[in-house]
Amino acid sequence: YNAYLESEPKNALSYSQKALEMAQKLDYKPGIAKSYHHKGKSLLIARDLDTAQDYFEKSVAIYKALGYFHQQGLVIVDLIQLDYVTPNYKRALSRISENVTAYSKSQPDSLILLKLYNVQAKVYMRQTNYEQGFKSAFKALTFAEGLKLDQEIARTKSTLSNLYHYTNNKVKSIELKKEVLAYYRKQNNKRRIGHALNDIGNSYYVIEEYDRALAYLEECL
């Protein structure tokens, strides 16, 4: 599942289904919840959004019954990501606010918080509320760097690079996106390599460096 998720989500879906069948046979509730979550993520990437939501909600219900608060939060983040994609920005921001409060209590969950702040930054960006977008993205980056999670640092820098692009700082946007591109090349994550190449090409296009833009966009294609 993990090997195929980013590059071949439908193939990943078949592995999550196999895991689900095994977990159901064993009546292993955490495994069932995790498999539902994995199926939802595969379907989210494949843009089967209604079915993805069904699996996310099934997963949350099981984790909630088990009292697995951290795992429940990971699924909630993906439900909010689904709101972002749909888009339903009002519900996304409401859910983010509710869960930032919940996961900031006595023992703050830094991983959940960084994910919440990153998607919050993307929602604000879509609403052209760039000031709040930057605030949320820098909060996410602080958590990611504190946890030393390279993947989350890359994702947050990607969000920041897009914010710089839309606030007319294309040079800073390109600088950050090239860092992100280098990380994903090491991971051989073709889907995210493609996204980064496209974003760099767009930024070069806007500042009228057309030869560079064309090179990145052709590689992206």
Side-chain angles (χ1 to χ4, degrees):
Y1 165 83
N2 286 323
Y4 286 111
L5 177 63
E6 290 281 350
S7 57
E8 298 178 42
K10 290 184 179 178
N11 204 358
L13 184 63
S14 69
Y15 283 101
S16 61
Q17 177 61 32
K18 290 176 183 178
L20 176 61
E21 290 168 2
M22 293 174 68
Q24 288 173 330
K25 186 176 180 179
L26 294 166
D27 193 30
Y28 179 54
K29 295 294 193 300
I32 294 170
K34 189 170 188 177
S35 298
Y36 282 148
H37 185 198
H38 283 181
K39 286 171 76 70
K41 285 178 73 74
S42 300
L43 291 161
L44 174 59
I45 292 172
R47 290 300 187 261
D48 186 347
L49 303 183
D50 289 341
T51 313
Q53 180 166 324
D54 289 342
Y55 282 116
F56 287 150
E57 288 175 351
K58 287 180 180 179
S59 180
V60 166
I62 295 172
Y63 280 138
K64 187 174 182 179
L66 291 170
Y68 284 21
F69 194 54
H70 174 76
Q71 289 83 350
Q72 181 183 332
L74 293 174
V75 188
I76 288 170
V77 168
D78 283 328
L79 272 168
I80 295 167
Q81 179 69 22
L82 197 151
D83 285 339
Y84 166 74
V85 170
T86 306
N88 188 334
Y89 300 145
K90 183 177 180 180
R91 186 168 66 183
L93 291 175
S94 175
R95 282 176 163 171
I96 290 166
S97 178
E98 176 186 342
N99 285 283
V100 163
T101 299
Y103 285 90
S104 298
K105 290 183 178 176
S106 55
Q107 292 183 317
D109 190 322
S110 296
L111 179 60
I112 302 299
L113 289 171
L114 89 83
K115 288 176 177 288
L116 289 169
Y117 283 125
N118 190 43
V119 71
Q120 186 180 55
K122 294 194 295 182
V123 173
Y124 281 137
M125 180 174 62
R126 287 283 179 87
Q127 294 181 319
T128 68
N129 187 349
Y130 301 124
E131 183 179 355
Q132 290 299 323
F134 274 113
K135 286 180 180 179
S136 297
F138 281 119
K139 285 179 182 178
L141 184 60
T142 298
F143 279 117
E145 290 177 339
L147 292 169
K148 298 180 180 179
L149 296 174
D150 290 341
Q151 179 173 283
E152 298 298 339
I153 291 170
R155 288 179 177 176
T156 307
K157 284 186 175 181
S158 180
T159 302
L160 277 169
S161 73
N162 289 330
L163 282 160
Y164 282 118
H165 175 89
Y166 287 115
T167 53
N168 295 317
N169 191 341
K170 305 299 187 293
V171 173
K172 184 65 175 178
S173 176
I174 291 167
E175 176 189 322
L176 280 176
K177 191 64 75 173
K178 284 183 176 179
E179 290 182 30
V180 172
L181 176 60
Y183 171 76
Y184 286 126
R185 285 199 193 281
K186 287 180 182 178
Q187 304 299 311
N188 195 30
N189 186 328
K190 291 184 179 180
R191 187 172 77 93
R192 294 188 182 271
I193 290 170
H195 288 170
L197 290 167
N198 182 67
D199 290 345
I200 295 169
N202 284 338
S203 289
Y204 274 129
Y205 173 80
V206 173
I207 60 175
E208 300 182 4
E209 292 195 28
Y210 298 126
D211 289 343
R212 286 183 171 182
L214 190 60
Y216 280 98
L217 293 171
E218 284 182 336
E219 186 183 352
C220 172
L221 184 60

